Amino acid sequence: MPTDTRRWVMLAASLLGAMATTCVVSGVAFLIPELHRTEDLSLAQASTLAAVPMVGLLLSTIAWGFALDRFGERRILLLSLTLTVVATGSACLADALDASEFVLGALLLVAGITSAATNGAGGRIVVGWFPPERRGTAMGVRQMAQPLGIGVCALTMPVLAEKYGVTAGLAVPFVVTILATIFVAAVIIDPPREKMADGSAITSPNPYRGSTFLPRVHGVSILLSIPQSMLWTFVPAWLIVQHEWSALTAGVLVTISQVLGAFGRIAAGRWSDSWGSRTKPIRLIAIGATASVGLLAFTDWLDSPTAALVMVVASVITVADNGLAFTAIAEFAGPQWSGRGLAIQNTGQYLWMAASTPVFGLAIGAFGYPAAFLLSAAAPAVAIGLVPADEERKTAVTVS
């Protein structure tokens, strides 16, 4: 059993691994202006290229989940990150050699495919090495990977691309992935697994059979991700175009909301540890998300100056459930099924986030931002009644 310090070091390694995935999947979006300006791509072509890594992630997440359940965290993390180093390095080389858009897109697709193991692996590491009374806090730290990764990309990739070209911007996920691979190789150890007397692995029943706990958590998470995605996607345009803020001022406010949201995930995790419950805080977060996004719609409809402050509050609340849902799924599914459970969770959220984005775009164009905000508030309102009782999770943890 590792020391407490070693647990947190392994958590830091899994956090960096997930940050690498965020940089690979989300980073190309920060190169859209330079791709348009210097690579002779239309905005539509550049945006499509930026979406390609996400497509790769969606295609492979469940397969990586099966591999995690079969082979464990260390081997799959190292394989995933090593392949991603090769893919991102090849993308940098291809752009430096002026390869075609098709070649660059194919390499970015491969990078998305290879990088998709880190999210599920990080969740399994937290549940495997941290005791139940500290898992929520630890998972909240692990879930900071997305906002931190986006922050790293936002602060580096556009500047490097503007000064030194797109290749320099693409080098950021390449470098982050190299660092993550070295860190993971140095510190990650697979959590212990219970075995039979003859040394064979204990076979666990399918957690999706005979219980609605996991499907309900997946459904709640999808519903809560809809206003989260809507705010991430459209708030910059809302501030800059609708309210005529400068790009710098809008960027600072969005960055502040991201940082506060990251710490909000830790606070929610600590809250769940203190309560001994994952689902009770999720229900309250769903209520808070409904109220805050609804209030945002109302204050924006009134053209109130407080709308920007309400947006920050809503942005923090709508992301607070992520770590709680991950923890609940991994605990309930157990070590033989959590890879697949977390993969289903990620795939469902990403798909619905992607599907809802054009819907909100149409709603904004037809009815304006207040109506779109109100529409997004309906999703967490539905989630309130879908949150499962916590007793099922406690039973599962006791049995496993």
Side-chain angles (χ1 to χ4, degrees), residues 224-280:
L224 291 179
S225 72
I226 290 173
Q228 170 186 326
S229 173
M230 194 272 180
L231 292 173
W232 280 357
T233 303
F234 293 105
V235 158
W238 174 65
L239 291 172
I240 296 169
V241 178
Q242 186 74 12
H243 293 284
E244 300 181 342
W245 287 36
S246 70
L248 176 61
T249 305
V252 169
L253 187 64
V254 171
T255 300
I256 289 172
S257 69
Q258 288 284 317
V259 172
L260 292 175
F263 284 102
R265 297 181 186 198
I266 299 176
R270 185 70 190 93
W271 182 18
S272 77
D273 289 338
S274 299
W275 274 22
S277 169
R278 312 299 176 205
T279 58
K280 289 179 182 177

Side-chain angles (χ1 to χ4, degrees), residues 24-25 28 49-57 83-115 170 173-174:
V24 169
V25 172
V28 183
L49 192 65
V52 165
M54 176 67 74
V55 174
L57 182 143
L83 292 174
T84 305
V85 168
V86 174
T88 52
S90 298
C92 291
L93 181 61
D95 188 73
L97 296 175
D98 291 324
S100 68
E101 176 193 348
F102 176 81
V103 172
L104 181 59
L107 291 170
L108 291 174
L109 178 69
V110 172
I113 290 171
T114 59
S115 69
L170 288 171
F174 176 55

Side-chain angles (χ1 to χ4, degrees), residues 202-217:
I202 297 175
T203 302
S204 300
N206 186 337
Y208 287 92
R209 294 177 179 172
S211 171
T212 62
F213 184 85
L214 290 179
R216 289 176 70 176
V217 172

Side-chain angles (χ1 to χ4, degrees), residues 238 295-296 299-300 303-312:
W238 174 65
L295 182 61
L296 175 58
T299 53
D300 190 44
D303 200 22
S304 169
T306 62
L309 178 60
V310 175
M311 181 278 295
V312 173

Side-chain angles (χ1 to χ4, degrees), residues 43 47 106-107 128 133 157 171 215 226 256 262 270-271 311 313 335 356 381 386:
L43 287 176
S47 299
L107 291 170
E133 66 274 10
M157 294 181 71
I226 290 173
I256 289 172
R270 185 70 190 93
W271 182 18
M311 181 278 295
V313 174
S356 66
L386 188 61

